[in-house]
Amino acid sequence: MADTGNRQPTAGRAESPVDPAGEGPAGEGPAAPGQRRPTAAAEPALPGDELGQAWLAARAGLTVTHLDTAAAGVPSGAVRAAQAAYLATEASVGSYVAQYEVAAGPLTAARETLAGLLDPALRAADVAFHHNATSGLAALLAAWPLPPGGRVGIVPSDFRSNWLALLDRAARDGLELVDLPTQPDGRLDVDRLARGDGPAALDGLDLVMFPEVPSQRGIVQPTAAVAALCRAAGVPLLLDVAQSLGQVDVTAAGATGGVTAYAGTSRKWLCGPRGVGFVAVRPDFAERLGVAAASGYAAGWEPAPAAPGGSRLVPAPGMGRFDVGEAPVAGWLGFAAALAEHADAGPGAVRARIHALAGAARRRLDGLAGWRLGEDVGSPCGIVALLPPAGVDPATVKDRLAREERILTTAIGPARARDAVPVLRVSPPVHATLADLDRLAEAVERLSH
Ligand SMILES: *Cc1c(COP(=O)(O)O)cnc(C)c1O
């Protein structure tokens, strides 16, 4: 059978389920350092082999073993072609005619798809493109109505840039930043949140903000449960979906009605172009937001004799206040193509394959040469965070994997987030195969000595 012990090129071949429960031989614990976890007899079938093959075929130019989707997914040929075709259209009919007559329809469709992937309460009009998730999050935070001295619930795993945006706003408005209760693996502690005692009691907060999947950990926050608690406590929740949308069912949280706003990105699990992100806000809240960066795109003015300049800024209606103005419309259309491909592939099928691949990677890597998982082996997340054995630097291993094996991963350092420790991050794309993961495991083991 094709399994982890098989070094033949079996890429993409269907595997027969040997152990339907996927639990392996009775009594099998974590492998001891330096010992390979015996996966051979326990490999569950990988779902979506046909999807994986089609996904790879749509990326014909790929020359590396790409296990780095959390950094940047591989765009398909169609995503690249959509951008090139639109650039040609701009050069043919004029940039603004192209934008308003050619791009407008597909861009509205893309915002509708995004709305559907996020939250049943959202429509296309509730979604705006932005430069990236960082700029979108910062814009939402800058525009958010917070009283002086307001209290914001946060997590230690928040992305460095989000943390810096929080520090900036907190310093200007005297905000208090309160860590919400978390478990040792970084997941929010829903029981303690529900008890509602201590400084992080939800009903004493003005805003809650966290990434659904952190950049540096292979966990998924219990977002639906937290969103439901936020809704019950009447506190708005601003959710960073940069690392979750495309590999986690974000609508589960949206369906609680407890998520007020979202920021995310094109280039990770949705495999769109770089330099494209988005923000989305529930329609009943958008008008309460200010203007993050005043411009003629995002605002107008009206007379106000007592005000400086005799005028007052008026935010553009709804999500128009997040209009960034001049933008790489070709990139937005590339993102539209990527979203259409994601929807065609079936978001559930994509998630199932990614999570199965991550699980297969964890079973191969846990305990290998002393590397340890940062999360549960069954974590429903496409990120695998590997804690190095003593004396091994993840950055060196990542460099050598890229240079000697053409295997792409990420080395994460302590500057990534307040709770970050050095890890090697593996994040398999839909098109990865068990053979790719075997190669990775073999190389990691060899490069760790
Ligand atoms: C990558 C990432 C971001 C930032 O996304 P950009 O598009 O690079 O700005 C924000 N939050 C998390 C959790 C991320 O992983």
Side-chain angles (χ1 to χ4, degrees):
M1 60 168 287
D3 55 39
T4 64
N6 189 340
R7 294 294 202 270
Q8 304 307 309
T10 55
R13 197 159 111 201
E15 316 262 321
S16 52
V18 174
D19 169 15
E23 287 165 355
E28 182 197 322
Q35 181 197 337
R36 184 80 177 276
R37 188 185 267 265
T39 50
E43 191 71 47
L46 206 57
D49 277 332
E50 275 178 26
L51 172 62
Q53 284 159 19
W55 202 268
L56 184 60
R59 287 156 173 80
L62 195 59
T63 60
V64 293
T65 301
H66 197 295
L67 300 174
D68 209 13
T69 317
V74 184
S76 71
V79 167
R80 298 199 316 267
Q83 295 174 80
Y86 182 74
L87 292 175
T89 304
E90 281 186 338
S92 163
V93 302
S95 296
Y96 292 97
V97 174
Q99 180 166 359
Y100 297 115
E101 293 182 10
V102 179
L107 293 181
T108 302
R111 288 186 291 117
E112 189 71 39
T113 302
L114 271 174
L117 289 171
L118 291 168
D119 189 318
L122 299 181
R123 294 291 169 269
D126 306 314
V127 181
F129 295 115
H130 222 268
H131 309 296
N132 47 60
T134 301
S135 68
L137 219 306
L140 285 166
L141 202 54
W144 209 273
L146 286 168
R151 305 178 72 243
V152 183
I154 60 173
V155 292
S157 63
D158 208 347
F159 194 61
R160 148 183 72 198
S161 299
N162 297 351
W163 166 240
L164 291 168
L166 280 162
L167 288 181
D168 188 37
R169 176 91 201 256
R172 269 187 286 134
D173 291 335
L175 303 180
E176 191 183 338
L177 303 178
V178 186
D179 271 327
L180 301 171
T182 49
Q183 298 169 350
D185 70 358
R187 276 180 297 175
L188 284 155
D189 188 329
V190 175
D191 292 339
R192 277 159 68 200
L193 267 183
R195 276 206 300 280
D197 46 4
L202 287 175
D203 57 8
L205 300 177
D206 299 289
L207 172 65
V208 166
M209 168 176 150
F210 61 88
E212 182 162 43
V213 172
S215 177
Q216 71 283 6
R217 288 175 177 269
I219 59 160
V220 183
Q221 292 294 357
T223 319
V226 176
L229 291 173
C230 286
R231 183 178 184 180
V235 54
L237 168 58
L238 168 47
L239 190 63
D240 174 354
V241 295
Q243 205 58 271
S244 58
L245 194 65
Q247 64 123 338
V248 166
D249 182 8
V250 175
T251 51
T256 67
V259 187
T260 312
Y262 304 81
T265 196
S266 144
R267 75 170 194 286
K268 294 177 180 173
W269 298 96
L270 292 167
C271 299
R274 295 181 62 190
V276 181
F278 60 89
V279 291
V281 183
R282 285 179 68 91
D284 55 3
F285 201 85
E287 297 290 335
R288 293 175 56 190
L289 296 166
V291 173
S295 76
Y297 302 106
W301 74 90
E302 65 184 13
S311 304
R312 180 170 48 222
L313 178 148
V314 182
M319 294 302 284
R321 68 200 60 202
F322 291 101
D323 189 335
V324 296
E326 259 314 292
V329 177
W332 292 0
L333 281 170
F335 187 29
L339 284 164
E341 287 184 339
H342 183 78
D344 280 352
V350 167
R351 291 195 294 268
R353 180 154 180 100
I354 287 169
H355 296 167
L357 281 160
R362 293 189 191 105
R363 287 192 296 277
R364 281 161 176 73
L365 295 161
D366 186 22
L368 186 71
W371 291 82
R372 289 284 168 194
L373 296 179
E375 64 278 342
D376 291 345
V377 71
S379 180
C381 182
I383 290 179
V384 179
L386 290 168
L387 299 157
V392 174
D393 177 11
T396 306
V397 174
K398 173 232 136 198
D399 285 345
R400 292 190 63 189
L401 283 172
R403 211 172 39 241
E404 298 169 24
E405 308 290 336
R406 300 177 74 75
I407 297 175
L408 299 195
T409 59
T410 288
I412 293 202
R416 180 73 57 129
R418 281 188 293 147
D419 74 352
V421 293
V423 293
L424 184 70
R425 185 182 67 187
V426 176
S427 48
V430 171
H431 67 257
T433 62
L434 295 177
D436 292 338
L437 303 179
D438 287 340
R439 280 191 56 228
L440 170 73
E442 185 275 324
V444 166
E445 182 165 41
R446 185 157 36 79
L447 297 177
S448 301
H449 298 301

